[in-house]
Amino acid sequence: MQRFKLSSLQIQRSHLYSFRNLHCYLPKLFSQQQQQTPLENVGPICSHLKSRSVIKFQGPDTIKFLQGLLTNDVRRFAQSIAEKPKTSNFPTPNVSPVSEPPMYAAMLTPQGRFLYDFFLYRPWRPEEKLDTTGAKPGEEGFALFADVDFTVLDEILECLRKYRLRSKVEIENVGNDYACWQRFGGQLSSKSSSTEDPKAASIGWGGAINCAGMSATQGNHLGWQWYNDPRLETLGFRGIFPSNTIPPLVEADKEADERNYLLWRLEKGVAEGSTEIPKGEAIPLEYNMVGLNAISFDKGCYVGQEFVARTHHRGVIRKRLLPLKFANGSGKEVVQKVTPGSEIVDTTSNKKVGTVTTALGSRGLGLLRLEEAFNASGTLSIKDQDNVKIEVIRPDWWPTEWFPERQNHTSAA
């Protein structure tokens, strides 16, 4: 696997990861490599997610504060170690016997529209492991880390501090100290099963491997680790690591440009961040956030909860985010012909079916009406570009009740 680079196209960091405009910067090499080595046939590969940053919550009111803001049930992080099943049987001195998986959640407007997404991680507690000298780390107070969208980092911090009021929780930008990484690829699961504890779903502290003997080469002496992506297993592994270290299993020939991870998500039909999920506009259920384990319907009240609950219990979602493939009239994939915001129309009726929300090469995501998306096969195209046809892909991770034929049956019943 070759390393993907943009050495001739160094772009300002503040603009590089605005995915609405990312198509403008794609080099020819990337599109050629994309066609020659599909991601389903390679892996595992790793990407440093420079589009994401890290913030830290610390203080006795951390759980209470986040519980009232986010769509998922954050109280899981407050459970004591005695309440959790063991996920490692190795008696190595610095390995915790439990592994707390991360959580995916969203923050909404009072009207129930999407604002920001969060990947929450709970660092090891002092009573769970020893440090490298055999003593307790001694970190004071309860803490959580959050992997968030870098492009709206300042907005997120300002919004969180506005809601903090008198809560005893400190909110700190630690993006310079920590980095976000994703490990993915079509061959990942088959290569990981023999070395990872399926319960821990991690590599590093807490996994069913002798980490004491591997920490020097894998860079995991601080206890940071890979976890199964909390949204979908098929997305691979995710983690945050100290920015001055190389994460475990990241080798020179296995590190790839972040756009490969974006392409991997597009093929699965998963959006991420406040650009791909329009801030202040997107309805969480239309962006499949229930199926991505981002929403709890048992946790009680949070900002925007009433709208989400009402939409969910109504039972029928007419529009959803879908993975798309762009091709010409002969079926050959076309690259760099579609931009986010392009309208998708049914050529037989000339009616609008949906909108492209994200595009990269010949793949994209679009918010489409389900009935027309699945029944108008072969007749969808980009408005005013009849030579660009749209192929809608049926995600294999969707529950059957999401498909229009099932929804029609349920409505009739």
Side-chain angles (χ1 to χ4, degrees):
M1 177 68 187
Q2 295 181 350
R3 186 194 294 260
F4 294 94
K5 291 186 177 180
L6 278 178
S7 56
S8 63
L9 292 175
Q10 297 298 329
I11 304 163
Q12 294 287 338
R13 188 181 185 190
S14 59
H15 300 292
L16 176 58
Y17 297 101
S18 178
F19 288 126
R20 289 186 185 276
N21 301 318
L22 188 57
H23 65 281
C24 299
Y25 304 115
L26 286 176
K28 185 176 181 180
L29 174 62
F30 178 78
S31 60
Q32 291 174 340
Q33 188 72 32
Q34 169 190 327
Q35 294 177 2
Q36 293 171 0
T37 57
L39 294 177
E40 289 289 351
N41 299 327
V42 300
I45 55 178
C46 302
S47 291
H48 176 197
L49 305 185
K50 296 180 182 178
S51 63
R52 309 292 293 186
S53 189
V54 181
I55 59 178
K56 180 181 180 180
F57 303 92
Q58 186 166 10
D61 290 344
T62 296
I63 294 295
K64 180 180 179 181
F65 171 70
L66 293 175
Q67 184 72 0
L69 284 181
L70 303 184
T71 56
N72 219 330
D73 195 342
V74 188
R75 291 173 297 182
R76 166 164 66 82
F77 290 114
Q79 291 180 320
S80 69
I81 188 172
E83 297 173 331
K84 300 180 183 296
K86 290 182 66 175
T87 55
S88 176
N89 296 318
F90 280 87
T92 49
N94 290 338
V95 179
S96 170
V98 296
S99 178
E100 181 63 49
M103 175 183 292
Y104 186 54
M107 184 175 177
L108 311 179
T109 69
Q111 294 75 33
R113 297 305 196 266
F114 176 88
L115 276 178
Y116 316 111
D117 61 354
F118 295 74
F119 292 83
L120 296 172
Y121 300 81
R122 197 211 71 184
W124 301 109
R125 301 179 187 178
E127 68 270 20
E128 293 176 358
K129 76 175 184 68
L130 305 177
D131 65 12
T132 54
T133 66
K136 290 185 177 181
E139 183 176 5
E140 297 180 0
F142 183 85
L144 288 177
F145 287 84
D147 153 1
V148 299
D149 189 344
F150 170 77
T151 62
V152 289
L153 176 60
D154 292 339
E155 288 184 27
I156 294 173
L157 292 170
E158 181 181 357
C159 187
L160 290 170
R161 288 165 180 161
K162 179 183 70 174
Y163 278 108
R164 180 174 56 182
L165 300 176
R166 297 183 180 179
S167 298
K168 295 179 181 178
V169 55
E170 295 297 323
I171 305 167
E172 181 184 1
N173 173 14
V174 293
N176 291 331
D177 301 321
Y178 297 94
C180 307
W181 289 77
Q182 190 85 14
R183 187 166 178 260
F184 60 99
Q187 300 177 22
L188 180 63
S189 57
S190 61
K191 291 198 173 188
S192 302
S193 58
S194 62
T195 59
E196 295 168 26
D197 187 324
K199 294 181 180 179
S202 61
I203 304 170
W205 299 127
I209 53 179
N210 191 334
C211 301
M214 299 177 64
S215 60
T217 58
Q218 293 191 350
N220 57 10
H221 60 285
L222 295 178
W224 299 96
Q225 62 183 348
W226 293 103
Y227 293 94
N228 266 341
D229 192 300
R231 297 166 295 178
L232 296 173
E233 184 176 351
T234 187
L235 290 175
F237 292 83
R238 198 177 184 101
I240 57 174
F241 300 88
S243 56
N244 61 350
T245 65
I246 300 298
L249 306 181
V250 177
E251 302 173 11
D253 61 342
K254 293 183 179 179
E255 185 180 348
D257 189 278
E258 182 178 353
R259 290 168 304 164
N260 291 277
Y261 166 60
L262 171 58
L263 179 62
W264 183 252
R265 284 194 292 102
L266 297 186
E267 293 175 346
K268 310 302 177 187
V270 178
E272 182 177 299
S274 302
T275 302
E276 297 177 33
I277 311 174
K279 181 167 59 75
E281 302 175 11
I283 296 174
L285 274 64
E286 291 184 348
Y287 280 73
N288 307 325
M289 301 198 81
V290 174
L292 297 174
N293 302 312
I295 299 176
S296 169
F297 293 101
D298 302 320
K299 62 168 289 184
C301 294
Y302 56 87
V303 176
Q305 179 264 343
E306 182 179 353
F307 176 84
V308 172
R310 185 169 63 248
T311 305
H312 173 70
H313 292 299
R314 195 183 307 149
V316 178
I317 308 297
R318 302 296 183 187
K319 293 189 296 181
R320 285 192 183 273
L321 192 73
L322 286 158
L324 308 173
K325 182 185 295 184
F326 310 129
N328 57 24
S330 60
K332 183 179 179 181
E333 294 185 19
V334 295
V335 179
Q336 305 306 105
K337 298 294 185 181
V338 180
T339 59
S342 300
E343 291 188 7
I344 300 173
V345 297
D346 184 345
T347 54
T348 59
S349 62
N350 205 32
K351 290 184 178 179
K352 180 180 176 180
V353 175
T355 304
V356 176
T357 61
T358 309
L360 180 68
S362 62
R363 300 303 178 101
L365 296 174
L367 187 65
L368 284 75
R369 293 200 299 270
L370 293 176
E371 192 72 36
E372 290 89 339
F374 289 113
N375 292 337
S377 178
T379 63
L380 299 181
S381 69
I382 297 296
K383 184 178 180 180
D384 299 326
Q385 296 186 59
D386 294 339
N387 59 328
V388 180
K389 305 300 180 182
I390 302 296
E391 178 185 341
V392 177
I393 301 171
R394 296 172 72 99
D396 56 9
W397 59 270
W398 274 27
T400 56
E401 59 267 21
W402 284 10
F403 293 99
E405 58 270 20
R406 178 71 177 181
Q407 289 197 15
N408 292 338
H409 176 76
T410 303
S411 299

